[in-house]
Each structure stands twice: as structure tokens, then as C-alpha cells.
């Protein structure tokens, strides 16, 4: 092998190393963008959940008041009419009271069903928020470690001096990712 071959091999190695460094920088920037985007989405999601939760109780109270108000007015009218006709129509009064009580029970049942629906919706939103919050430390640890995706697995640059963990001491820490 002569000097020209050695120089061309060195140039090829330097170009390859430069391309690898550029690729690593691109991957690092991409991970940073993805983590930042995820954090922004989680923050936005938190604000939306806070808005839903704070607005839900007010909406439930308003809807319950709107649902009960006509029934209460009707009940009041029925009671007034019943007392006015009390002397001559005893059966009619009792029928009005029974109808008013049945309507009141129906309104209460509808309110209970609506309240249950909102509670289930709030529970679902809280669970989804918790899943997002649980994913953040995993992504941060992945980004901080010197690991890459190899097909359908994760490949890692193992730190031979790293601490071993696990029940059988089978895990070894990976080297931290180099910052540029």
C-alpha cells in the first residue's frame, strides 16, 4: 500500500466520520424537537383538562338548574291550582301532586345520569394525561443514553464500568450520549 492509497483511505474515513457526526447531530436535533413537541402537547393537554374540569362543575350546575327550573315552576303552579280547587276536587289535587312528584323524580334521574356521564369523561381524560406524564421520563432517559433503534430492538453502547442493577445484577448502565 503506497502513500496515495493511504491518503485516499484516510480521506474516505474522515468523510465517513464527518457524515456520521452530521447524522448524529441530525438525530439529536430530531429527538430534541420530538421531546419539546411532546412536552408542549402535554402542557396544552393539561390546560385543556384544567379548562374541562373547571368548566364541568359550572356546566353541570347550570344544566341542572335549567332542567329543574321549569319543573319547579310547573310544580308551583300545580300546587297553587290544587289549593284553589281544594274544596271541590280532592282527587284532582292528589293526581296533580302525584304527577308533580313523578316529574320531579324524572328530572332527578336525568340529572344523576348526566352527572355520571361527566364523571366518566373526566376520569378518561385524567387517565390519558397520566399516560403522557408517565412517558416523559422514559423519553428523557432514552435521549440521554447512547442507544439507537436496531430494527425491532434497541441497541446500546454499554458502559463497562457502569453500575449493575436488577434482581440478578443482569443490567448494566449505558454510556451517556455525548453532547456537542
Amino acid at each position: 500500500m503506497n502513500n496515495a492509497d493511504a491518503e485516499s483511505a484516510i480521506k474516505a474515513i474522515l468523510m465517513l466520520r464527518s457524515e456520521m457526526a452530521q447524522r448524529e447531530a441530525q438525530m439529536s436535533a430530531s429527538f430534541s424537537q420530538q421531546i419539546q413537541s411532546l412536552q408542549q402537547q402535554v402542557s396544552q393537554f393539561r390546560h385543556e383538562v384544567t379548562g374541562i374540569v373547571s368548566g364541568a362543575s359550572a356546566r353541570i350546575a347550570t344544566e341542572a338548574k335549567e332542567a329543574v327550573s321549569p319543573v319547579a315552576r310547573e310544580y308551583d303552579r300545580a300546587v297553587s291550582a290544587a289549593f284553589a280547587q281544594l274544596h271541590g276536587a280532592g282527587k284532582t289535587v292528589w293526581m296533580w301532586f302525584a304527577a308533580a312528584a313523578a316529574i320531579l323524580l324524572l328530572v332527578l334521574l336525568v340529572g344523576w345520569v348526566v352527572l355520571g356521564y361527566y364523571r366518566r369523561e373526566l376520569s378518561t381524560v385524567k387517565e390519558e394525561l397520566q399516560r403522557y406524564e408517565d412517558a416523559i421520563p422514559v423519553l428523557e432517559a432514552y435521549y440521554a443514553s447512547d442507544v439507537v433503534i436496531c430494527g425491532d430492538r434497541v441497541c446500546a453502547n454499554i458502559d463497562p464500568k457502569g453500575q449493575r442493577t436488577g434482581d440478578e445484577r443482569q443490567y448494566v448502565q449505558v454510556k451517556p450520549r455525548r453532547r456537542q
Side-chain angles (χ1 to χ4, degrees):
M1 182 174 199
N2 61 24
N3 275 345
D5 290 337
E7 283 182 26
S8 65
I10 289 173
K11 286 179 183 177
I13 290 171
L14 289 175
M15 284 183 17
L16 181 60
R17 183 171 182 340
S18 173
E19 289 176 7
M20 287 175 60
Q22 287 176 350
R23 176 70 176 158
E24 183 180 346
Q26 289 172 346
M27 286 176 55
S28 177
S30 174
F31 279 135
S32 294
Q33 281 181 327
Q34 290 174 0
I35 286 177
Q36 186 178 16
S37 173
L38 182 59
Q39 287 174 338
Q40 288 172 350
Q41 288 175 357
V42 167
S43 176
Q44 179 183 2
F45 191 71
R46 280 183 181 163
H47 290 297
E48 290 174 2
V49 167
T50 302
I52 289 171
V53 169
S54 64
S57 62
R59 279 187 15 216
I60 290 170
T62 302
E63 288 178 9
K65 184 178 179 182
E66 289 173 359
V68 172
S69 180
V71 173
R73 282 191 297 254
E74 181 63 30
Y75 182 75
D76 187 46
R77 278 196 298 261
V79 169
S80 297
F83 279 115
Q85 297 177 357
L86 184 63
H87 295 293
K91 283 186 178 181
T92 306
V93 170
W94 286 110
M95 288 179 63
W96 275 104
F97 278 122
I103 291 172
L104 183 61
L105 286 175
L106 182 63
V107 166
L108 290 174
L109 178 65
V110 168
W112 181 70
V113 169
V114 168
L115 182 61
Y117 170 77
Y118 282 121
R119 283 184 178 168
R120 284 190 303 277
E121 287 296 316
L122 289 174
S123 175
T124 302
V125 169
K126 283 181 183 178
E127 288 172 4
E128 189 172 345
L129 176 62
Q130 187 61 45
R131 283 194 307 270
Y132 280 125
E133 288 176 347
D134 290 345
I136 289 174
V138 173
L139 289 173
E140 288 174 344
Y142 177 83
Y143 178 71
S145 301
D146 194 2
V147 294
V148 293
I149 303 294
C150 301
D152 61 346
R153 291 187 171 197
V154 175
C155 296
N157 187 2
I158 302 298
D159 186 358
K161 297 176 185 173
Q163 293 178 333
R164 289 189 170 270
T165 60
D167 293 339
E168 299 173 14
R169 310 300 251 173
Q170 71 270 31
Y171 300 110
V172 179
Q173 288 183 336
V174 297
K175 288 183 181 178
R177 190 178 299 265
R178 286 184 288 175
R179 304 279 179 186
Q180 293 180 354

